[in-house]
Amino acid sequence: MRCPLTKKKNYWFVFLFHLIFLFRFNIFAHAILDPIDFLALQSIRKSLDDLPGSNYFASWDFTSEPCSFGGVYCDGDKVIALNLGDPRAGSPGLTGRIDPAIGKLSALAELTIVPGRVNGSLPQTLFQLKTLRFLAISRNFISGEIPATLGQLRGLRTLDLSFNHITGSVPRSIGTLPALSNVILCHNRLSGTVPSFVSQSLTRLDLKNNNLSGSLSPVSLPPSLQYLSLSSNRLAGPVDRLLSRLNRLNYLDLSVNRFSGCIPGNIFTFPITNLQLQRNQFSGPVHPLDQVTISSVDLSFNRLSGQISPMLSTVQNLYLNNNRFTGSVPTNFVDRLLAASIQTLYLQHNFLTGIEINPTVEIPLSSSLCLQYNCMVPPVDTPCPLNAGTQKTRPTSQCIEWEG
Ligand SMILES: *[C@@H]1O[C@H](CO)[C@@H](O)[C@H](O)[C@H]1NC(C)=O
Ligand SMILES: *[C@@H]1O[C@H](CO)[C@@H](O)[C@H](O)[C@H]1NC(C)=O
């Protein structure tokens, strides 16, 4: 033995390491799972199954300690998190339904179910779990409604029930939850109006692809919001006062609705990369306050009017087609187009009267320009998208009122 001292030290280290390990995983004390939680897990197991190709429940052997099952996390003798289904990408997920016994897991803070074919409605008992902070059951076949008792989950931070078959309205009570941060209910069959949210920590609200209607109050969403998608609903009314307050938005998609009124000039200064306001009923002129740094701006299929602002010439992909813009296209658009700094400039189906461009000039191959169906003969012949039609110029009778 050449270095007994060192050896001894090593043993101590290993022993300490084991101690830390045992404490960390709560198996040091005799933390046998609470029998109520044990029975609840058995019921949950009976109501669900692996889809062919999924092996998730293989580790659920009730003759051993359930806190060691895949996806079951305990604190002392209570289950605190349940992640049902193999979380690895491409796992086929689970089938069956969520047993009401889940409401017996009185310390549950987190429940997730991986994408699969779990159907039926969310058990009412789930909404009695006051400890719940994270609820994510996305891409399954959940139907039925979200109960108003959701408002009892005062600690809830994340609610993700996206890509299911949920009907009914978004309960008003969800808006009263004080700690809410992510609400993802997109791709369901929700109808009714969008509730107001009081949580000052709400960062993400995704309600796209539902059947929501009505209008939004100017104070219905907090300025903490960074991601807002309400696309593909039947929402209406003005949003200018609401939007101009949401200056931390980095994602905004209100496309395919019936929103009206003007587009506030300050939203072009928000840290957004892709602004999607197309296919609504927005009207009036568009006046960005400064040179726009958003790389893609889609305002197509609205009722926007007035001259095109030169502040928009710094946008790489700009869709202003199918509006009521008038006047001449500012020359800085042509400069940027020829420098290949603009990739898309769709101006078709407006009432534009001119663009200063040399008819012999070569538009860079990487750039798309469409000028069709305006109050001018396009000076250059460029390919347009199919839905622009084949008519090069708008009938003169429609243009007279715009001419000086
Ligand atoms: C759930 O799926 C099962 C099996 O496909 C089916 O028998 C049952 O009717 C479904 N239940 C609902 C509520 O859709
Ligand atoms: C959308 O909601 C309205 C009621 O607001 C209802 O009449 C209509 O059937 C719903 N459409 C779909 C596709 O669910």
Side-chain angles (χ1 to χ4, degrees), residues 34-337:
D34 182 325
I36 296 176
D37 286 38
F38 187 92
L39 290 174
L41 285 180
Q42 278 191 321
S43 302
I44 291 164
R45 168 68 188 95
K46 278 194 199 116
S47 303
L48 292 169
D49 255 311
D50 281 298
L51 280 169
S54 173
N55 243 344
Y56 171 72
F57 281 122
S59 69
W60 283 48
D61 169 6
F62 283 93
T63 61
S64 63
E65 179 53 40
C67 291
S68 64
F69 293 178
V72 178
Y73 302 88
C74 301
D75 186 10
D77 63 346
K78 301 296 290 177
V79 175
I80 53 161
L82 203 48
N83 300 337
L84 296 169
D86 183 347
R88 280 172 298 187
S91 161
L94 306 176
T95 177
R97 59 189 182 84
I98 307 165
D99 197 280
I102 197 149
K104 297 265 167 60
L105 298 174
S106 58
L108 196 68
E110 178 180 325
L111 173 64
T112 63
I113 300 183
V114 302
R117 305 184 73 90
V118 176
N119 72 359
S121 52
L122 297 168
Q124 289 282 343
T125 54
L126 192 57
F127 301 95
Q128 291 158 13
L129 289 172
K130 302 221 162 77
T131 45
L132 210 56
R133 289 201 306 261
F134 189 98
L135 176 59
I137 307 175
S138 179
R139 294 176 195 269
N140 276 284
F141 292 90
I142 303 292
S143 55
E145 303 193 2
I146 305 171
T149 48
L150 177 79
Q152 292 170 14
L153 308 181
R154 306 307 290 172
L156 195 68
R157 294 187 189 155
T158 291
L159 176 68
D160 180 356
L161 301 173
S162 57
F163 295 89
N164 280 292
H165 298 159
I166 298 170
T167 51
S169 60
V170 182
R172 307 264 95 197
S173 58
I174 190 180
T176 67
L177 298 177
L180 213 52
S181 154
N182 299 293
V183 177
I184 307 164
L185 299 173
C186 59
H187 292 269
N188 277 290
R189 294 164 189 172
L190 295 162
S191 53
T193 56
V194 177
S196 292
F197 288 85
V198 298
S199 166
Q200 292 301 310
S201 46
L202 188 71
T203 52
R204 189 181 182 101
L205 178 63
D206 189 345
L207 300 175
K208 73 171 161 281
N209 282 82
N210 277 291
N211 185 22
L212 299 165
S213 56
S215 55
L216 281 86
S217 124
V219 291
S220 57
L221 303 174
S224 52
L225 209 58
Q226 292 174 20
Y227 183 109
L228 175 61
S229 179
L230 300 173
S231 172
S232 300
N233 279 286
R234 301 186 299 127
L235 296 162
V239 281
D240 53 322
R241 282 165 63 207
L242 172 68
L243 288 183
S244 52
R245 289 173 50 249
L246 304 179
N247 61 0
R248 278 181 239 168
L249 283 178
N250 57 39
Y251 186 93
L252 177 60
D253 185 357
L254 303 183
S255 63
V256 199
N257 276 290
R258 297 166 193 176
F259 288 120
S260 58
C262 64
I263 296 174
N266 69 330
I267 71 166
F268 295 97
T269 62
F270 296 172
I272 300 174
T273 49
N274 185 4
L275 177 63
Q276 299 175 80
L277 302 178
Q278 72 272 23
R279 295 182 189 267
N280 277 287
Q281 296 167 14
F282 288 116
S283 60
V286 181
H287 287 310
L289 302 182
D290 206 343
Q291 209 63 59
V292 179
T293 54
I294 304 173
S295 62
S296 180
V297 173
D298 195 341
L299 307 180
S300 63
F301 294 92
N302 277 292
R303 298 169 183 177
L304 300 165
S305 58
Q307 304 221 346
I308 294 176
S309 166
M311 297 297 178
L312 288 166
S313 65
T314 32
V315 176
Q316 280 150 37
N317 294 289
L318 181 62
Y319 305 85
L320 299 179
N321 54 289
N322 297 79
N323 276 291
R324 298 170 184 173
F325 287 110
T326 53
S328 199
V329 182
T331 50
N332 50 357
F333 279 94
V334 177
D335 298 342
R336 289 193 173 261
L337 193 70

